[in-house]
Amino acid sequence: RSFKPVIDEGGDEVVGWELSNKDGTLMPASDDQAHFDWLVVTGSGVAHPRWTSAFGGPPPLAAAVADLPPRPAAALERACARISKIGAAPVQVLMASLEGDLALAYSNLPFSVLEA
């Protein structure tokens, strides 16, 4: 549950990313490559402060700022600051396919379980 940038020898360019799972074990990119070339973030969760209340510890992407060279660190800090202002309305979704007696029992429930 952490990201760590791999920095070039000059100390000013990110050349990859190391990813660790929740127990801190490094996840290799492949048998012969220790780090990943790219880090693709597809949601705000790893940068949002709500990470701390859900999983403990700082949001992984926000924590990675400390290990970055100045230029990308500043850009990531700005992005994390914007992300931290995004509100949330958590929802739970259950999708099921029911047939026969089970479907009939479900459709006869005395309340609506669908809100749109």
Side-chain angles (χ1 to χ4, degrees):
R1 277 199 259 174
S2 68
F3 313 136
K4 182 174 175 152
V6 178
I7 310 300
D8 70 348
E9 290 183 20
D12 52 32
E13 186 176 334
V14 177
V15 295
W17 291 87
E18 293 177 341
L19 281 65
S20 299
N21 63 21
K22 66 181 177 180
D23 68 5
T25 303
L26 191 63
M27 300 180 339
S30 65
D31 290 339
D32 61 344
Q33 185 174 347
H35 68 268
F36 295 85
D37 295 332
W38 293 90
L39 177 65
V40 178
V41 177
T42 61
S44 63
V46 295
H48 198 281
R50 71 178 165 262
W51 175 278
T52 303
S53 60
F55 303 107
L61 198 57
V65 169
D67 296 319
L68 288 170
R71 188 175 53 83
L76 186 55
E77 281 179 325
R78 286 191 304 276
C80 288
R82 288 182 182 150
I83 290 169
S84 73
K85 292 179 173 71
I86 296 172
V91 297
Q92 293 183 339
V93 176
L94 169 66
M95 300 174 92
S97 174
L98 306 174
E99 298 177 359
D101 290 341
L102 192 55
L104 182 59
Y106 182 79
S107 67
N108 288 329
L109 289 173
F111 52 86
S112 173
V113 293
L114 172 67
E115 289 186 27

